[in-house]
Amino acid sequence: MLKFIVGLALCLPLLARAALDPAALAPFAGEDSSAKAEAVTALANAPDPQVDTLFKALSEDSLFYLPDGQVIVFDGERYVDAASGQPLTTEPEAPEAVIVNNVVRGALESAIALRGLAAADPAARLAAADALKERADPSFLPALEAALARESDAQVKDALSRTTALLQLASPDKTVKLAAIERLAASRDRNIREALAPLAEAETDPELKAALKTALDAIDFRLSVASFFANVFSGLSLGSILLLAALGLAITFGLMGIINMAHGEMLMLGAYSTYVVQGLFRDHFPGALDWYPLAALPVAFIVAAGVGALMERTVIRHLYGRPLETLLATWGLSLILIQAVRSIFGPQNVEVANPTWMSGALDVYGVVLPYNRLAIIAFAFFVLAIVWFALNRTRMGLYVRGVMQNRPMADAIGVPTARVDMMAFALGSGIAGLGGVALSQIGNVGPELGQAYIIDSFMVVVLGGVGQLAGTVVAAIGLGEINKFLEPYAGAVLGKIAVLVLIILFIQKRPSGLFALKGRSADA
Amino acid sequence: MTNRRQFIQSVGALAGMAAVPGSVKMAFGASKEPIKVGILHSLSGTMAISETALKNTALMTIDSINAKGGVLGRPIVPVVVDPASNWPLFAEKARQLITQDKVSAVFGCWTSVSRKSVLPVFEELNSLLYYPVQYEGEELSKNVFYTGAAPNQQAIPATEYLMSKEGGSAKKFVLLGTDYVYPRTTNKILRAFLKSKGVSEANIMEEYTPFGHSDYQTIIAKIKKFSAGAKTCVISTINGDSNVPFYKELGNQGIKATDIPVVAFSVAEQELAGIDTKPLVGHLAAWNYFETIKNPQNAAFVKMWKDYVQAKKLKDAPVTDDPMEATWIGIHMWKQAVEKAGSPDVDKVRKAMYGQTFKAPCGFTVKMDETNHHLHKPVFIGEIRADGQFNTVWKTKGPIRAQPWSPYIPGNEGKQKL
């Protein structure tokens, strides 16, 4: 039987029109990854459609080989011969999977991209051209030049000309080389800078050397600008996370004066709500899975607000005006919540995946802006708007501010102060729940999630000035920016310490924070 | 039936050999008196994430040994305590296990700091600790058997692989870790190793983050800057759940494993169960065991764990990993040593441990070294797959001997014979 298969495999290439040389596939049946990578690169230029099938199988881990060295593809239903595309007549007994490691995967990605340049869809061509930016084998140059010549889309042309120019740097022709350097001078890529730098050192031709130097200076300037804006962006992103974590606390601690050690657990409940909603979407609406974070928002708000209201009614309301007892009681509540979540969901972190529209990044003039961070910045300001609206434009907000400023007076004119307390605490907790949804998209979701944010949250609220929404915003963004501008020089550990020292010094100077309340209401 | 007969015979023979005072009266029936062992893993606090699975693995192993007749015909009774990720509490609990519960051996600890905390207790009271996690070396106590990897059984081979053609011929190295003793010591060893291979100081970047760090934007921007111009790899000793934000940021910033591969020493199948692994495909880990290794021992081990998780309704992920395998090996070796010694007495067991061998799920027969208290283990390097498992891309031909005192740390030259 085996003989028959081998015989079939040998004679099939003669019969089928589209067929590859089995010798070109031989490395796939071996152990040597670099040989596999070379085989992939060599096949990249072959026009045969069978190569596409082979590449697809390689990238999906569905390429196998038999003990006799025959390379076969599993197409979902059956095994076919990789060289000829003909189905195997007998079910193979123990096909070994072809192992794809990083070396092979890298070669494969650029080879697939090279073939993708022939696609009809400009978006597909652009993706292919972008993939080739990272890695292009010198043997691709003729194919790239041909693709560049027939390309009509400006964006694709731009990406292609860059890759081509990088390969043309090795050209012996001076004019080609000069044009390539000029093309690359417009880049903002550090890798291109590093590719040009050694050339500038070694170049003897004065004209080329001058061109290289101008190119390097231009790239360096762009890089330093990009690096500055990248820092600004990371600071803004960290600031928006601090803001989301602290907004709920700005209500419960800032306005109501409750030292709420269980605030972090409200964030954690929000994150776990996201996890549960994600699970429901996976089971019931797999098609709409990408939109689960939106559905998680109301769920997280209601869960956290409900738990918050319950905590206020059962424990906290008995302790108003006794800060030490409140501190201990809320700390106890936080431990109970952590252990409850641990018993229900287990001590391990749970997996919350980013929806596809939150994965990846936007490249703006060399500054990489990850979508999840952009989404969180926008979301932070959205939540801020909700809080501002709720406190300043609704009757409930008016009551809250009234009760906090002068409780006996509010009581006297008929404001139900006990209910307002509960509502305000629930609102603060619910906002923290919303923050938890955002935090689940950038970090870990585990029972101890809240512990990581509680200190930062208090820091933001205290620094901003207790009771001041604007102060909380400025403090959060400011802390984010300072942290991110210190970190590259001081390192993550020292950076954090430096920020703490700065805050302590600042609080010494201004004990009531950035935006202190002035006038009569300050005494309340 | 024959099994039972053999079993009774051996019990009789061993009981006779043991000649413990009072063994006359327990020659037959009373020899069923159980042997106690301690399980010292954090079941709450930060380390619960990793250590709960090890506690359950230990209980599963003991159950399976008891189902086959126990040790010396006596059942093993585990005493489980919870040191709550609190390092001084580890020492207290260890003392309690040894003096009050009178356990014959203790299986436990994960972080190096917890091991350092219990070490004086074990030395003072002369008991045995079986430590199942890879660590930084630079330690050797006659009261500890180390069943995890020493640096030369994990960190050094992984670095060698990255420098090889297969691994992508890395020229620049980022040593990234959490700020405590294990990453700092490992990186000290790696730095000396890289220098001995001719890597210049300028091509090594070393960075530390606090425990629980979650914002890796700046560090990844730094890595990008550093990586320009030459093939770069990241050697990560980030411990615990900081790994999730690190890998997420890496994926979102568009750094793929084909550009800058990350090899991790503290990320195994259990940790990956809590992460969305799609953006991680191709990143590496170095261990002495992967769940995907194919051999009958491993198939049985994996199946036993999956059944155990289901039967006991555990919250642990139904995947096996390296520290779990090391726990399994440790308990079995202890059992074999007790049987060889004919008694659970610490000094006798210690002597019987030397040279003990065990057919492990990693597919090799691992051996406890005759002198240095460490296992001879094979090394595997795996790439993360989309399903959270590993594809083995490189492995050693056989088990290699541990060097607890790294030759790359000055002052260790005289200790190489150990």
Side-chain angles (χ1 to χ4, degrees), chain A residues 373-450:
Chain A
R373 296 197 176 269
L374 285 175
I376 285 172
I377 293 174
F379 182 64
F381 285 95
F382 168 71
V383 175
L384 179 67
I386 294 181
V387 174
W388 181 85
F389 184 82
L391 287 181
N392 294 317
R393 286 287 179 273
T394 62
R395 189 153 202 90
M396 151 88 189
L398 185 67
Y399 284 165
V400 171
R401 284 178 296 137
V403 171
M404 297 319 146
Q405 282 180 9
N406 195 330
R407 183 177 294 272
M409 185 61 81
D411 216 357
I413 55 172
V415 176
T417 52
R419 225 179 69 212
V420 167
D421 284 335
M422 186 190 76
M423 299 290 274
F425 195 84
L427 176 70
S429 303
I431 296 292
L434 291 181
V437 178
L439 295 180
S440 76
Q441 295 300 316
I442 51 149
N444 288 299
V445 180
E448 280 104 16
L449 177 141

Side-chain angles (χ1 to χ4, degrees), chain A residues 32-33 100-103 105-106 135 190 194 234 238 343-344 348-349 360-361 368 372-373 444 484 487, chain B residues 49 161 166 215 217-218 222 224-225 228-229 241 244-245 248-249 252 256-258 270 282 315 383 392:
Chain A
D32 185 357
S33 310
V100 177
N101 78 353
N102 281 324
V103 177
R105 201 173 292 117
R135 190 184 292 96
R190 198 170 290 280
E194 294 301 318
S234 336
L238 179 62
S343 311
I344 299 170
Q348 304 267 7
N349 288 348
V368 179
N372 64 344
R373 296 197 176 269
N444 288 299
K484 284 296 153 188
E487 213 186 298
Chain B
I49 287 171
Y161 171 76
E166 286 283 283
D215 190 336
Q217 296 181 86
T218 314
K222 242 179 159 175
K224 268 187 173 170
K225 235 183 232 179
D241 47 15
V244 181
K248 257 191 191 173
E249 192 68 37
N252 284 332
K256 283 178 292 186
T258 45
Q270 281 285 344
K315 297 281 170 18
E383 284 187 0
T392 306

Side-chain angles (χ1 to χ4, degrees), chain A residues 31-35 38 61 99-103 105-107 109 131 134-135 190-191 194-195 227 230-231 233-235 237-238 241 282 339 342-354 358-361 368-373 439-444 447-448 452-453 483-484 487-489 491-493 496, chain B residues 43-46 48-50 52-53 161 165-168 172 179 184 207-210 212-219 221-222 224-231 241-245 248-249 251-254 256-259 261 270-271 273-278 281-284 315-317 383-385 391-393:
Chain A
E31 295 263 302
D32 185 357
S33 310
S34 1
E38 279 160 27
D61 282 329
I99 291 189
V100 177
N101 78 353
N102 281 324
V103 177
R105 201 173 292 117
E109 274 165 17
E134 301 295 328
R135 190 184 292 96
R190 198 170 290 280
N191 284 318
E194 294 301 318
S227 138
N231 265 343
F233 177 79
S234 336
S237 164
L238 179 62
I241 290 162
R282 261 193 198 149
Q339 197 53 48
R342 201 181 276 138
S343 311
I344 299 170
F345 295 97
Q348 304 267 7
N349 288 348
V350 293
E351 180 217 334
V352 176
N354 286 145
M358 269 209 204
S359 308
V368 179
L369 312 176
Y371 289 127
N372 64 344
R373 296 197 176 269
L439 295 180
S440 76
Q441 295 300 316
I442 51 149
N444 288 299
E448 280 104 16
Y453 290 98
N483 216 323
K484 284 296 153 188
E487 213 186 298
Y489 308 103
V493 182
K496 204 149 188 153
Chain B
L43 309 179
S44 52
T46 20
I49 287 171
S50 301
T52 319
Y161 171 76
K165 201 173 168 214
E166 286 283 283
K172 287 183 167 187
D179 205 357
R184 288 234 178 221
E207 277 285 327
Y208 293 96
T209 57
H213 191 68
S214 64
D215 190 336
Y216 280 92
Q217 296 181 86
T218 314
I219 284 177
K222 242 179 159 175
K224 268 187 173 170
K225 235 183 232 179
F226 177 75
S227 74
K231 180 73 182 175
D241 47 15
S242 285
N243 278 300
V244 181
K248 257 191 191 173
E249 192 68 37
N252 284 332
Q253 297 260 2
K256 283 178 292 186
T258 45
D259 309 325
Q270 281 285 344
E271 282 77 20
I275 309 184
D276 173 22
T277 44
K278 274 178 245 76
V281 170
H283 287 304
L284 304 134
K315 297 281 170 18
D316 303 294
E383 284 187 0
I384 299 175
R385 298 197 311 216
N391 262 342
T392 306
V393 291

Side-chain angles (χ1 to χ4, degrees), chain B residues 46-164:
Chain B
T46 20
M47 290 312 296
I49 287 171
S50 301
E51 292 192 65
T52 319
L54 292 195
K55 182 230 20 172
N56 289 327
T57 310
L59 293 183
M60 173 188 86
T61 314
I62 291 171
D63 277 1
S64 81
I65 293 176
N66 283 341
K68 286 183 194 140
V71 55
L72 299 176
R74 295 160 63 180
I76 308 172
V77 173
V79 182
V80 180
V81 289
D82 176 16
S85 311
N86 174 342
W87 319 134
L89 195 57
F90 265 90
E92 277 175 45
K93 293 283 178 188
R95 187 172 291 275
Q96 177 197 325
L97 281 173
I98 302 167
T99 56
Q100 291 176 20
D101 297 309
K102 307 236 182 294
V103 297
S104 305
V106 176
F107 302 93
C109 296
W110 179 293
T111 58
S112 289
V113 45
S114 66
R115 190 190 65 250
K116 298 264 185 217
S117 153
V118 300
L119 196 59
V121 178
F122 280 89
E123 288 181 340
E124 178 199 331
L125 301 172
N126 189 29
S127 186
L128 283 180
L129 171 70
Y130 286 75
Y131 177 66
V133 185
Q134 44 52 278
Y135 80 119
E136 69 281 2
E138 305 305 299
E139 187 183 295
L140 208 172
S141 164
K142 72 178 177 52
N143 295 92
V144 184
F145 282 103
Y146 306 82
T147 58
N152 74 312
Q153 293 171 317
Q154 189 191 28
I156 302 258
T159 314
E160 274 173 340
Y161 171 76
L162 290 168
M163 296 172 90
S164 72

Side-chain angles (χ1 to χ4, degrees), chain B residues 7 10-11 14 17 35-37 58 60-77 104-107 128 130 145 147 326-345 348-354 356-359 368:
Chain B
F7 158 58
S10 63
V11 169
L14 288 166
M17 258 161 49
I35 298 178
K36 281 195 201 168
V37 297
M60 173 188 86
T61 314
I62 291 171
D63 277 1
S64 81
I65 293 176
N66 283 341
K68 286 183 194 140
V71 55
L72 299 176
R74 295 160 63 180
I76 308 172
V77 173
S104 305
V106 176
F107 302 93
L128 283 180
Y130 286 75
F145 282 103
T147 58
T327 301
W328 171 263
I329 297 175
I331 298 180
H332 275 102
M333 276 203 170
W334 168 80
K335 168 196 174 252
Q336 292 173 4
V338 171
E339 277 168 352
K340 187 180 169 202
S343 125
D345 179 72
K348 287 181 187 154
V349 171
R350 181 186 303 122
K351 229 171 136 206
M353 274 299 288
Y354 299 139
Q356 199 61 250
T357 58
F358 179 66
K359 230 173 150 36
M368 178 53 70

